[in-house]
Coordinates of all heavy atoms in Angstrom, one line a residue:
S1 N 8.1 -16.0 -20.3 CA 6.7 -16.2 -20.2 C 6.3 -15.6 -18.8 O 7.1 -15.3 -18.0 CB 6.3 -17.6 -20.3 OG 6.9 -18.4 -19.2
V2 N 5.0 -15.4 -18.7 CA 4.4 -14.8 -17.5 C 4.1 -15.9 -16.5 O 3.8 -17.0 -16.7 CB 3.1 -14.1 -17.9 CG1 2.3 -13.6 -16.7 CG2 3.4 -13.0 -18.9
G3 N 4.2 -15.5 -15.2 CA 4.0 -16.4 -14.1 C 2.5 -16.5 -13.7 O 1.8 -15.5 -13.6
C4 N 2.1 -17.7 -13.6 CA 0.7 -18.1 -13.1 C 0.9 -19.1 -12.0 O 1.7 -20.0 -12.0 CB -0.1 -18.6 -14.2 SG -0.5 -17.5 -15.5
T5 N 0.0 -19.0 -11.0 CA 0.0 -19.9 -9.9 C -1.2 -20.8 -10.0 O -2.3 -20.3 -10.2 CB 0.0 -19.1 -8.5 OG1 1.1 -18.3 -8.5 CG2 0.0 -20.1 -7.4
P6 N -1.0 -22.1 -9.9 CA -2.2 -23.0 -10.1 C -3.2 -22.8 -8.9 O -2.8 -22.5 -7.8 CB -1.6 -24.4 -10.0 CG -0.3 -24.2 -9.4 CD 0.2 -22.8 -9.6
L7 N -4.5 -23.0 -9.2 CA -5.5 -22.9 -8.3 C -5.8 -24.3 -7.7 O -6.5 -24.4 -6.7 CB -6.8 -22.4 -8.9 CG -6.8 -20.9 -9.3 CD1 -8.1 -20.5 -9.8 CD2 -6.3 -20.0 -8.1
S8 N -5.2 -25.4 -8.2 CA -5.4 -26.7 -7.7 C -4.0 -27.3 -7.5 O -3.0 -26.6 -7.8 CB -6.2 -27.6 -8.7 OG -5.5 -27.7 -9.9
S9 N -3.9 -28.6 -7.2 CA -2.6 -29.2 -7.0 C -1.9 -29.5 -8.3 O -0.7 -29.7 -8.3 CB -2.8 -30.5 -6.2 OG -3.7 -31.4 -6.9
A10 N -2.6 -29.4 -9.4 CA -2.0 -29.6 -10.7 C -1.2 -28.4 -11.1 O -1.6 -27.2 -10.8 CB -3.0 -29.9 -11.8
R11 N -0.1 -28.6 -11.8 CA 0.7 -27.4 -12.4 C -0.2 -26.8 -13.4 O -1.0 -27.4 -14.1 CB 2.0 -27.9 -13.0 CG 3.0 -28.4 -12.0 CD 4.3 -28.8 -12.5 NE 4.3 -28.7 -14.0 CZ 4.7 -29.6 -14.8 NH1 5.0 -30.8 -14.4 NH2 4.8 -29.4 -16.1
P12 N -0.1 -25.4 -13.6 CA -1.0 -24.8 -14.7 C -0.7 -25.3 -16.0 O -1.6 -25.2 -16.9 CB -0.6 -23.3 -14.5 CG 0.6 -23.3 -13.7 CD 0.7 -24.5 -12.9
D13 N 0.5 -25.8 -16.3 CA 0.8 -26.4 -17.7 C 0.5 -27.9 -17.7 O 0.8 -28.4 -18.8 CB 2.2 -26.0 -18.1 CG 3.2 -26.6 -17.2 OD1 2.9 -27.1 -16.1 OD2 4.4 -26.5 -17.5
A14 N 0.0 -28.5 -16.7 CA -0.1 -29.9 -16.7 C -1.2 -30.5 -17.5 O -1.1 -31.5 -18.0 CB -0.1 -30.4 -15.2
A15 N -2.4 -29.8 -17.4 CA -3.6 -30.4 -18.0 C -4.5 -29.4 -18.6 O -4.6 -28.3 -18.1 CB -4.3 -31.3 -17.0
M16 N -5.0 -29.7 -19.7 CA -6.0 -28.8 -20.3 C -7.2 -28.6 -19.4 O -7.6 -29.5 -18.7 CB -6.5 -29.4 -21.6 CG -7.3 -28.5 -22.5 SD -7.5 -29.2 -24.1 CE -9.1 -29.9 -24.0
G17 N -7.6 -27.4 -19.2 CA -8.7 -27.1 -18.3 C -8.3 -26.7 -16.9 O -9.1 -26.3 -16.1
S18 N -7.0 -26.7 -16.6 CA -6.5 -26.3 -15.3 C -6.8 -24.8 -15.1 O -6.7 -24.1 -16.1 CB -5.0 -26.6 -15.2 OG -4.7 -27.9 -15.2
L19 N -7.0 -24.4 -13.9 CA -7.2 -23.0 -13.6 C -5.9 -22.5 -12.9 O -5.3 -23.2 -12.2 CB -8.4 -22.8 -12.7 CG -9.8 -23.2 -13.3 CD1 -10.9 -22.9 -12.3 CD2 -10.0 -22.4 -14.6
A20 N -5.6 -21.2 -13.3 CA -4.4 -20.6 -12.7 C -4.8 -19.2 -12.4 O -5.7 -18.6 -12.9 CB -3.2 -20.7 -13.6
I21 N -3.9 -18.5 -11.6 CA -4.1 -17.1 -11.3 C -2.8 -16.3 -11.6 O -1.7 -16.8 -11.4 CB -4.5 -16.9 -9.8 CG1 -5.0 -15.5 -9.5 CG2 -3.4 -17.3 -8.9 CD1 -5.8 -15.4 -8.2
V22 N -2.9 -15.2 -12.2 CA -1.8 -14.4 -12.7 C -1.2 -13.7 -11.5 O -1.8 -13.1 -10.6 CB -2.3 -13.3 -13.7 CG1 -1.1 -12.4 -14.1 CG2 -2.9 -14.0 -14.9
H23 N 0.2 -13.9 -11.4 CA 0.9 -13.3 -10.2 C 1.8 -12.2 -10.7 O 2.6 -11.7 -9.9 CB 1.5 -14.3 -9.3 CG 2.6 -15.1 -9.9 ND1 3.8 -14.7 -10.2 CD2 2.6 -16.4 -10.4 CE1 4.6 -15.6 -10.7 NE2 3.8 -16.7 -10.9
D24 N 1.8 -11.8 -11.9 CA 2.6 -10.6 -12.4 C 1.6 -9.4 -12.3 O 0.4 -9.5 -12.5 CB 3.1 -10.7 -13.8 CG 4.3 -11.7 -13.8 OD1 4.8 -12.2 -12.8 OD2 4.7 -12.1 -15.0
S25 N 2.1 -8.2 -12.2 CA 1.2 -7.0 -12.1 C 0.5 -6.8 -13.4 O -0.7 -6.5 -13.4 CB 2.0 -5.7 -11.7 OG 3.2 -5.6 -12.3
I26 N 1.2 -6.9 -14.5 CA 0.5 -6.8 -15.8 C 1.2 -7.9 -16.7 O 2.4 -7.9 -16.8 CB 0.7 -5.4 -16.5 CG1 0.0 -4.3 -15.7 CG2 0.2 -5.4 -17.9 CD1 0.2 -2.9 -16.2
A27 N 0.4 -8.7 -17.4 CA 0.9 -9.8 -18.2 C 0.4 -9.6 -19.6 O -0.8 -9.7 -19.8 CB 0.5 -11.1 -17.6
P28 N 1.2 -9.4 -20.6 CA 0.7 -9.3 -22.0 C 0.2 -10.6 -22.5 O 0.8 -11.7 -22.2 CB 2.0 -9.0 -22.8 CG 3.1 -9.4 -22.0 CD 2.7 -9.4 -20.5
L29 N -1.0 -10.6 -23.1 CA -1.6 -11.7 -23.7 C -1.3 -11.7 -25.2 O -1.7 -10.7 -25.9 CB -3.1 -11.7 -23.5 CG -3.9 -13.0 -23.8 CD1 -3.5 -14.1 -22.9 CD2 -5.4 -12.7 -23.5
R30 N -0.6 -12.6 -25.7 CA -0.1 -12.6 -27.1 C -0.8 -13.5 -28.1 O -1.3 -14.5 -27.7 CB 1.4 -13.0 -27.1 CG 2.3 -12.2 -26.1 CD 3.3 -11.4 -26.9 NE 4.1 -10.6 -26.0 CZ 4.3 -9.3 -26.2 NH1 3.8 -8.7 -27.2 NH2 5.0 -8.6 -25.3
R31 N -0.9 -13.1 -29.3 CA -1.6 -13.8 -30.3 C -0.9 -15.2 -30.6 O -1.6 -16.2 -30.9 CB -1.7 -13.0 -31.6 CG -2.5 -13.7 -32.8 CD -2.7 -12.9 -34.0 NE -3.3 -11.6 -33.7 CZ -4.7 -11.5 -33.6 NH1 -5.5 -12.5 -33.7 NH2 -5.2 -10.3 -33.4
E32 N 0.4 -15.2 -30.6 CA 1.3 -16.4 -30.9 C 2.2 -16.6 -29.7 O 2.5 -15.7 -29.0 CB 2.0 -16.2 -32.2 CG 1.2 -15.9 -33.4 CD 0.4 -17.1 -33.9 OE1 0.8 -18.2 -33.6 OE2 -0.7 -16.9 -34.5
P33 N 2.7 -17.8 -29.6 CA 3.7 -18.0 -28.5 C 5.1 -17.5 -28.8 O 6.0 -18.3 -29.0 CB 3.7 -19.6 -28.4 CG 3.3 -20.1 -29.7 CD 2.4 -19.0 -30.3
A34 N 5.2 -16.2 -28.8 CA 6.5 -15.5 -29.1 C 6.4 -14.1 -28.5 O 5.4 -13.4 -28.6 CB 6.8 -15.4 -30.6
H35 N 7.6 -13.7 -27.9 CA 7.6 -12.3 -27.3 C 7.4 -11.2 -28.3 O 6.9 -10.1 -28.0 CB 9.0 -12.1 -26.6 CG 9.1 -13.0 -25.4 ND1 8.4 -12.8 -24.3 CD2 9.9 -14.1 -25.2 CE1 8.7 -13.7 -23.4 NE2 9.6 -14.5 -23.9
A36 N 7.7 -11.5 -29.6 CA 7.5 -10.5 -30.7 C 6.1 -10.5 -31.2 O 5.8 -9.6 -32.0 CB 8.6 -10.7 -31.7
A37 N 5.3 -11.4 -30.8 CA 3.9 -11.5 -31.4 C 3.1 -10.4 -30.8 O 3.3 -9.8 -29.8 CB 3.3 -12.8 -30.9
E38 N 2.0 -10.1 -31.6 CA 1.1 -9.0 -31.3 C 0.5 -9.3 -29.9 O 0.0 -10.3 -29.6 CB 0.0 -9.0 -32.4 CG -1.1 -7.9 -32.1 CD -2.3 -8.0 -33.1 OE1 -2.2 -8.8 -34.0 OE2 -3.2 -7.2 -32.9
M39 N 0.4 -8.2 -29.1 CA -0.3 -8.3 -27.8 C -1.8 -7.9 -28.1 O -2.1 -6.8 -28.5 CB 0.3 -7.3 -26.8 CG -0.3 -7.4 -25.5 SD 0.5 -6.3 -24.2 CE 0.0 -4.7 -24.8
T40 N -2.6 -8.9 -27.8 CA -4.1 -8.7 -28.0 C -4.8 -8.2 -26.8 O -5.9 -7.7 -27.0 CB -4.7 -10.0 -28.5 OG1 -4.5 -11.0 -27.5 CG2 -4.1 -10.5 -29.8
S41 N -4.3 -8.4 -25.6 CA -4.9 -7.9 -24.4 C -3.8 -8.0 -23.3 O -2.7 -8.3 -23.6 CB -6.1 -8.8 -24.0 OG -6.8 -8.2 -23.0
Q42 N -4.3 -7.6 -22.1 CA -3.4 -7.7 -20.9 C -4.2 -8.4 -19.8 O -5.4 -8.3 -19.7 CB -3.0 -6.3 -20.4 CG -2.0 -5.7 -21.4 CD -1.6 -4.3 -20.8 OE1 -2.4 -3.6 -20.2 NE2 -0.4 -3.9 -21.1
L43 N -3.4 -9.2 -19.0 CA -4.0 -9.8 -17.8 C -3.4 -9.1 -16.6 O -2.3 -8.7 -16.6 CB -3.6 -11.3 -17.8 CG -4.0 -12.2 -18.9 CD1 -3.4 -13.6 -18.8 CD2 -5.6 -12.3 -18.9
L44 N -4.2 -8.9 -15.6 CA -3.8 -8.1 -14.5 C -3.6 -9.1 -13.3 O -4.1 -10.2 -13.2 CB -4.9 -7.1 -14.1 CG -5.2 -6.1 -15.2 CD1 -6.3 -5.2 -14.7 CD2 -4.0 -5.3 -15.6
F45 N -2.8 -8.6 -12.3 CA -2.6 -9.4 -11.1 C -3.9 -9.9 -10.5 O -4.8 -9.1 -10.3 CB -1.8 -8.5 -10.1 CG -1.5 -9.2 -8.8 CD1 -0.4 -10.0 -8.6 CD2 -2.4 -9.0 -7.7 CE1 -0.2 -10.7 -7.5 CE2 -2.1 -9.7 -6.5 CZ -1.0 -10.5 -6.4
G46 N -3.9 -11.2 -10.2 CA -5.1 -11.8 -9.5 C -6.1 -12.3 -10.5 O -7.0 -13.0 -10.0
E47 N -6.0 -12.0 -11.8 CA -7.0 -12.6 -12.7 C -6.8 -14.1 -12.9 O -5.8 -14.6 -12.8 CB -6.8 -12.0 -14.1 CG -7.5 -10.6 -14.3 CD -7.6 -10.3 -15.8 OE1 -8.4 -10.9 -16.5 OE2 -6.9 -9.3 -16.2
Q48 N -8.0 -14.7 -13.0 CA -8.0 -16.2 -13.2 C -8.1 -16.5 -14.7 O -8.7 -15.8 -15.4 CB -9.2 -16.8 -12.5 CG -9.1 -16.6 -11.0 CD -10.3 -17.3 -10.3 OE1 -11.2 -17.9 -10.9 NE2 -10.4 -17.2 -9.0
V49 N -7.3 -17.6 -15.0 CA -7.3 -18.0 -16.4 C -7.5 -19.5 -16.5 O -7.1 -20.2 -15.5 CB -6.0 -17.7 -17.1 CG1 -5.8 -16.1 -17.2 CG2 -4.8 -18.3 -16.4
E50 N -8.0 -20.0 -17.6 CA -8.1 -21.4 -17.8 C -7.0 -21.8 -18.8 O -6.8 -21.1 -19.8 CB -9.4 -21.8 -18.4 CG -9.5 -23.3 -18.8 CD -10.8 -23.6 -19.5 OE1 -11.6 -22.7 -19.9 OE2 -11.1 -24.8 -19.7
V51 N -6.2 -22.8 -18.4 CA -5.1 -23.2 -19.3 C -5.7 -24.2 -20.4 O -6.2 -25.2 -20.0 CB -4.0 -23.9 -18.5 CG1 -2.9 -24.3 -19.5 CG2 -3.4 -23.0 -17.5
L52 N -5.6 -23.7 -21.6 CA -6.1 -24.5 -22.7 C -5.1 -25.5 -23.3 O -5.5 -26.6 -23.7 CB -6.6 -23.6 -23.9 CG -7.7 -22.6 -23.4 CD1 -7.9 -21.6 -24.6 CD2 -8.9 -23.2 -22.9
S53 N -3.9 -25.1 -23.3 CA -2.8 -26.0 -23.7 C -1.5 -25.4 -23.3 O -1.4 -24.2 -22.9 CB -2.8 -26.3 -25.2 OG -2.6 -25.1 -26.0
S54 N -0.4 -26.1 -23.5 CA 0.9 -25.5 -23.2 C 2.0 -26.1 -24.2 O 1.8 -27.2 -24.7 CB 1.3 -25.7 -21.8 OG 1.5 -27.1 -21.6
E55 N 3.0 -25.3 -24.5 CA 4.0 -25.7 -25.3 C 5.3 -24.9 -24.9 O 5.3 -23.8 -24.8 CB 3.8 -25.6 -26.8 CG 3.4 -24.1 -27.2 CD 3.0 -24.0 -28.7 OE1 1.9 -24.4 -29.1 OE2 3.9 -23.6 -29.5
K56 N 6.4 -25.7 -24.7 CA 7.7 -25.2 -24.2 C 7.4 -24.2 -23.1 O 6.9 -24.6 -22.0 CB 8.4 -24.5 -25.4 CG 8.7 -25.4 -26.5 CD 9.5 -24.8 -27.6 CE 9.8 -25.8 -28.7 NZ 10.5 -25.2 -29.8
N57 N 7.8 -22.9 -23.2 CA 7.6 -22.0 -22.1 C 6.3 -21.2 -22.1 O 6.2 -20.1 -21.4 CB 8.8 -21.1 -22.0 CG 10.1 -21.8 -21.6 OD1 10.0 -22.8 -20.8 ND2 11.2 -21.4 -22.1
W58 N 5.4 -21.6 -23.0 CA 4.2 -20.8 -23.2 C 2.9 -21.6 -22.8 O 2.9 -22.8 -23.0 CB 4.0 -20.4 -24.6 CG 5.1 -19.4 -25.0 CD1 6.4 -19.7 -25.5 CD2 5.0 -18.0 -24.9 NE1 7.1 -18.5 -25.7 CE2 6.3 -17.4 -25.4 CE3 4.0 -17.1 -24.6 CZ2 6.5 -16.1 -25.5 CZ3 4.3 -15.7 -24.6 CH2 5.5 -15.2 -25.1
A59 N 1.9 -20.9 -22.3 CA 0.6 -21.5 -22.1 C -0.4 -20.8 -22.9 O -0.4 -19.5 -22.9 CB 0.3 -21.4 -20.6
H60 N -1.3 -21.5 -23.5 CA -2.4 -20.9 -24.2 C -3.6 -20.8 -23.2 O -4.0 -21.8 -22.7 CB -2.8 -21.7 -25.4 CG -3.9 -21.2 -26.3 ND1 -4.8 -21.9 -26.9 CD2 -4.2 -19.9 -26.5 CE1 -5.7 -21.1 -27.6 NE2 -5.3 -19.9 -27.3
V61 N -4.1 -19.6 -22.9 CA -5.0 -19.4 -21.8 C -6.2 -18.7 -22.3 O -6.2 -18.0 -23.3 CB -4.4 -18.7 -20.6 CG1 -3.2 -19.5 -20.1 CG2 -4.0 -17.3 -20.9
R62 N -7.3 -18.8 -21.5 CA -8.5 -18.1 -21.7 C -8.8 -17.3 -20.4 O -8.9 -17.9 -19.4 CB -9.7 -18.9 -22.1 CG -11.0 -18.1 -22.3 CD -12.2 -19.1 -22.6 NE -12.5 -20.0 -21.5 CZ -13.3 -19.7 -20.5 NH1 -13.8 -18.5 -20.3 NH2 -13.5 -20.7 -19.6
A63 N -8.9 -16.0 -20.5 CA -9.2 -15.2 -19.3 C -10.7 -15.4 -18.9 O -11.6 -15.3 -19.7 CB -9.0 -13.7 -19.5
L64 N -10.9 -15.8 -17.6 CA -12.3 -16.0 -17.2 C -13.1 -14.8 -17.1 O -14.3 -14.8 -17.3 CB -12.2 -16.7 -15.8 CG -11.6 -18.1 -15.7 CD1 -11.7 -18.7 -14.4 CD2 -12.1 -19.1 -16.8
A65 N -12.5 -13.6 -16.9 CA -13.2 -12.4 -16.8 C -13.9 -11.9 -18.1 O -15.0 -11.4 -18.1 CB -12.3 -11.2 -16.2
D66 N -13.1 -12.1 -19.2 CA -13.7 -11.5 -20.5 C -13.6 -12.5 -21.6 O -14.0 -12.2 -22.7 CB -12.9 -10.2 -20.8 CG -11.5 -10.3 -20.9 OD1 -11.0 -11.5 -21.1 OD2 -10.8 -9.3 -21.0
G67 N -13.1 -13.6 -21.4 CA -13.0 -14.7 -22.5 C -11.9 -14.6 -23.5 O -11.8 -15.3 -24.4
Y68 N -11.1 -13.5 -23.4 CA -9.9 -13.3 -24.3 C -9.0 -14.5 -24.2 O -8.8 -15.0 -23.1 CB -9.2 -12.1 -24.0 CG -9.7 -10.8 -24.7 CD1 -10.6 -10.0 -24.0 CD2 -9.3 -10.4 -25.9 CE1 -11.1 -8.9 -24.6 CE2 -9.8 -9.3 -26.5 CZ -10.7 -8.5 -25.9 OH -11.2 -7.4 -26.5
Q69 N -8.5 -15.0 -25.4 CA -7.6 -16.1 -25.4 C -6.3 -15.6 -26.0 O -6.3 -14.7 -26.9 CB -8.1 -17.2 -26.3 CG -9.3 -17.9 -25.7 CD -9.7 -19.1 -26.5 OE1 -8.9 -19.7 -27.2 NE2 -11.0 -19.5 -26.5
G70 N -5.2 -16.2 -25.5 CA -3.9 -15.9 -26.1 C -2.8 -16.7 -25.3 O -3.1 -17.5 -24.5
Y71 N -1.6 -16.3 -25.6 CA -0.4 -17.0 -24.9 C 0.3 -16.1 -23.9 O 0.4 -14.9 -24.1 CB 0.6 -17.3 -26.0 CG 0.1 -18.4 -27.0 CD1 -0.7 -18.1 -28.1 CD2 0.4 -19.8 -26.7 CE1 -1.1 -19.1 -28.9 CE2 -0.1 -20.8 -27.5 CZ -0.9 -20.4 -28.6 OH -1.3 -21.4 -29.5
V72 N 0.6 -16.7 -22.8 CA 1.4 -16.1 -21.8 C 2.6 -17.0 -21.5 O 2.6 -18.2 -21.7 CB 0.6 -15.8 -20.5 CG1 -0.4 -14.8 -20.7 CG2 0.0 -17.1 -19.9

């Protein structure tokens, strides 16, 4: 999964609605929580995301810049 750094003291996977910032140069945004799933968009270094939910090693996020949703 892709690395995100929390913007608050909460872990990015801890609570729905947490904000995080992408710290990989390019992070694929996937349709499903699997590496083989279709990539629907990409997140760039420094982009802010809202964590909608999390499961295992995946977070379901919404990019604040364009509203795209997917798994990282």
Side-chain angles (χ1 to χ4, degrees):
S1 65
V2 172
C4 292
T5 302
L7 293 181
S8 67
S9 58
R11 293 185 357 236
D13 61 350
M16 194 165 93
S18 296
L19 296 180
I21 194 162
V22 176
H23 63 74
D24 289 350
S25 43
I26 297 175
L29 192 63
R30 304 242 179 233
R31 183 175 303 278
E32 302 289 334
H35 292 290
E38 176 186 358
M39 184 174 69
T40 57
S41 187
Q42 291 180 325
L43 300 171
L44 303 176
F45 178 83
E47 275 196 71
Q48 294 182 5
V49 296
E50 177 184 8
V51 179
L52 303 173
S53 66
S54 64
E55 56 183 79
K56 298 184 183 177
N57 293 327
W58 293 88
H60 184 213
V61 300
R62 180 181 62 85
L64 298 184
D66 58 16
Y68 275 90
Q69 292 185 26
Y71 291 87
V72 292

